[in-house]
């Protein structure tokens, strides 16, 4: 509590604020004030100390600390119950435990690093420290189970809109759960559902965002297919600004989906869809066939037209999709 008050006082001071004044305001010793300042510096705040003048904030912490995120949130629900960790095995795992304990809708778990991050179909998601944003949200939509898959598509649209606002870059969406720049992955989304009697109890939406990764931050085998916002923009991206923009976009899109259905989200998704009209190979178990990506339907299923002109609905988790010949985009999982 005292540390939060000290930070607020230093932030709000027009110039320097003395240790004596901080000590008086908080009714703690000047030694205690200094210890809190040292701790704030360790959290990434650049605080100048002058023997005669006191303390002055030179720059805020670049970390996604509650003290940096919560005062700037514009959302009503998403992110208001905020849980920040320097490191976690998996943000989805922690968010699921919170959801089971009754955490409200919008509960957000953010980690600077994941040691056991997962992608779709159980694949590992590389989550190095101080590079990306790794988060999971608890959502409790009162919708039928059949609508749950639409949340992944909705989330990808929201993240694209946030990227466009913050960086000016123009990402594309790879069905069902990835966001691309220059044909490479910058984001993966993993939505996990807890349902009873065909009704959604809660959803955990996990998102791994490649924000300020440099080439060496990716494992060698991933470098040909992964990129980051910093690599594409040619500059460091403000992670706090991006997180705030994403939460605002997601809450607006989510509320629109709850009130109006999937139609407007579908239009925005199609406007950013990667690979529409391209030839692909569908692999479902032992069966393989070729076709072209046509669209997504009103429920969010992928529509693929085969060589005979028949249109097939493809559902998330059933298939891997790759361009004919094995080159270009990977539309798999």
């Amino acid at each position: 509590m005292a540390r939060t008050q000290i930070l607020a006082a230093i932030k709000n001071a027009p110039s320097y604020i003395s240790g004596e004044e901080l000590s008086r305001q908080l009714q703690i010793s000047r030694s205690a004030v200094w210890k809190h300042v040292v701790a704030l510096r360790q959290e990434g705040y650049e605080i100048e100390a002058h023997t005669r003048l006191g303390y002055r904030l030179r720059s805020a912490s670049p970390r996604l600390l509650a003290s940096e995120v919560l005062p700037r949130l514009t959302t009503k629900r998403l992110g208001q119950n905020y849980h920040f960790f320097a490191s976690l095995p998996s943000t989805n795992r922690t968010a699921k435990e919170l959801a089971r304990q009754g955490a409200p809708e919008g509960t957000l778990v953010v980690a600077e690093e994941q040691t056991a991050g997962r992608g779709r179909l159980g694949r590992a998601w590389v989550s190095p420290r101080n590079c990306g944003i790794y988060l999971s949200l608890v959502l409790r939509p009162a919708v039928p189970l059949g609508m749950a898959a639409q949340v992944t598509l909705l989330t990808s649209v929201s993240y694209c809109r946030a990227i466009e606002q913050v960086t000016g870059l123009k990402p594309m969406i790879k069905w069902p759960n990835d966001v691309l720049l220059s044909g490479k992955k910058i984001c993966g989304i993993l939505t996990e559902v807890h349902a009873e009697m065909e009704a959604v109890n809660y959803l955990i939406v996990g998102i791994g965002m490649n924000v300020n990764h440099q080439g060496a931050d990716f494992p060698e085998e991933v470098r040909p297919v992964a990129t980051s916002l910093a690599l594409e923009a040619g500059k460091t991206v403000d992670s706090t600004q991006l997180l705030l923009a994403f939460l605002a976009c997601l809450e607006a899109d989510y509320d629109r989906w709850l009130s109006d259905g999937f139609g407007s989200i579908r239009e925005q998704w199609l406007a950013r869809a990667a690979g529409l009209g391209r030839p692909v190979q569908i692999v479902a178990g032992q069966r393989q066939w070729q076709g072209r990506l046509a669209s997504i339907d009103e429920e969010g299923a992928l529509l693929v037209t085969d060589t005979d002109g028949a249109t097939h609905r493809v559902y998330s988790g059933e298939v891997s999709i790759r361009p004919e010949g094995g080159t270009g985009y990977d539309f798999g999982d």
Side-chain angles (χ1 to χ4, degrees):
M1 185 64 176
R3 189 172 307 163
T4 301
Q5 292 174 314
I6 289 171
L7 177 61
I10 294 175
K11 279 186 172 182
N12 294 329
S15 182
Y16 288 91
I17 183 169
S18 69
E20 182 179 356
E21 176 63 18
L22 289 169
S23 175
R24 186 189 64 79
Q25 287 184 14
L26 275 67
Q27 296 185 333
I28 60 176
S29 68
R30 293 182 66 174
S31 175
V33 169
W34 171 247
K35 289 180 180 178
H36 285 301
V37 168
V38 170
L40 288 168
R41 286 173 169 171
Q42 292 172 345
E43 290 181 346
Y45 292 96
E46 188 176 349
I47 299 174
E48 179 183 341
H50 193 286
T51 305
R52 287 174 295 181
L53 299 176
Y55 302 104
R56 183 177 69 168
L57 183 67
R58 294 182 60 88
S59 64
S61 174
R63 300 173 68 185
L64 297 171
L65 304 168
S67 56
E68 289 303 306
V69 174
L70 290 176
R72 297 166 59 187
L73 268 180
T74 59
T75 55
K76 295 180 180 178
R77 303 184 311 288
L78 303 193
Q80 293 293 343
N81 186 20
Y82 191 85
H83 299 262
F84 172 81
F85 300 87
S87 181
L88 281 177
S90 162
T91 59
N92 263 33
R93 189 183 307 173
T94 300
K96 278 191 285 188
E97 182 58 35
L98 291 171
R100 284 193 290 265
Q101 296 170 6
E105 178 167 78
T107 294
L108 177 63
V109 177
V110 178
E112 292 181 315
E113 173 192 49
Q114 292 184 117
T115 57
R118 293 185 301 113
R120 188 165 166 263
L121 301 183
R123 287 168 171 77
W125 182 270
V126 179
S127 312
R129 184 183 293 272
N130 298 329
C131 293
I133 301 176
Y134 318 113
L135 65 85
S136 296
L137 273 162
V138 178
L139 298 179
R140 298 184 181 275
V143 299
L145 180 58
M147 293 179 62
Q150 296 173 7
V151 173
T152 298
L153 306 180
L154 182 159
T155 302
S156 65
V157 167
S158 302
Y159 187 50
C160 285
R161 297 207 299 119
I163 291 171
E164 291 159 5
Q165 290 178 16
V166 173
T167 71
L169 297 169
K170 300 298 181 184
M172 301 188 77
I173 303 170
K174 184 194 74 173
W175 187 91
N177 68 322
D178 293 330
V179 177
L180 310 175
L181 278 169
S182 303
K184 296 183 177 182
K185 186 183 295 192
I186 57 164
C187 170
I189 301 165
L190 176 64
T191 302
E192 299 184 89
V193 186
H194 184 276
E196 297 177 3
M197 300 298 291
E198 295 300 311
V200 172
N201 186 6
Y202 60 81
L203 299 173
I204 305 298
V205 183
I207 308 151
M209 306 176 185
N210 297 342
V211 182
N212 286 312
H213 298 61
Q214 298 301 308
D217 294 317
F218 295 110
E220 188 172 351
E221 65 273 15
V222 173
R223 292 173 194 170
V225 296
T227 188
S228 71
L229 294 179
L231 288 172
E232 298 300 317
K235 61 181 180 181
T236 299
V237 173
D238 185 328
S239 292
T240 303
Q241 183 185 10
L242 179 65
L243 175 61
L244 294 166
F246 168 67
L247 292 172
C249 289
L250 181 60
E251 184 167 275
D253 291 338
Y254 177 68
D255 286 346
R256 188 178 304 113
W257 173 70
L258 288 175
S259 62
D260 302 336
F262 188 60
S264 65
I265 300 299
R266 176 178 178 270
E267 292 176 5
Q268 292 190 62
W269 192 96
L270 288 171
R272 299 171 173 86
L276 289 184
R278 292 186 56 155
V280 292
Q281 183 177 23
I282 311 299
V283 181
Q286 299 300 313
R287 179 171 174 258
Q288 298 186 22
W289 53 281
Q290 295 180 352
R292 288 184 179 273
L293 297 184
S295 186
I296 57 173
D297 68 11
E298 291 76 11
E299 296 181 0
L302 189 68
L303 300 179
V304 180
T305 304
D306 66 20
T307 53
D308 296 324
T311 299
H312 302 262
R313 302 173 81 202
V314 180
Y315 295 90
S316 174
E318 292 185 356
V319 299
S320 295
I321 309 172
R322 295 178 177 83
E324 284 181 326
T327 59
Y329 291 123
D330 174 3
F331 290 95
D333 37 56

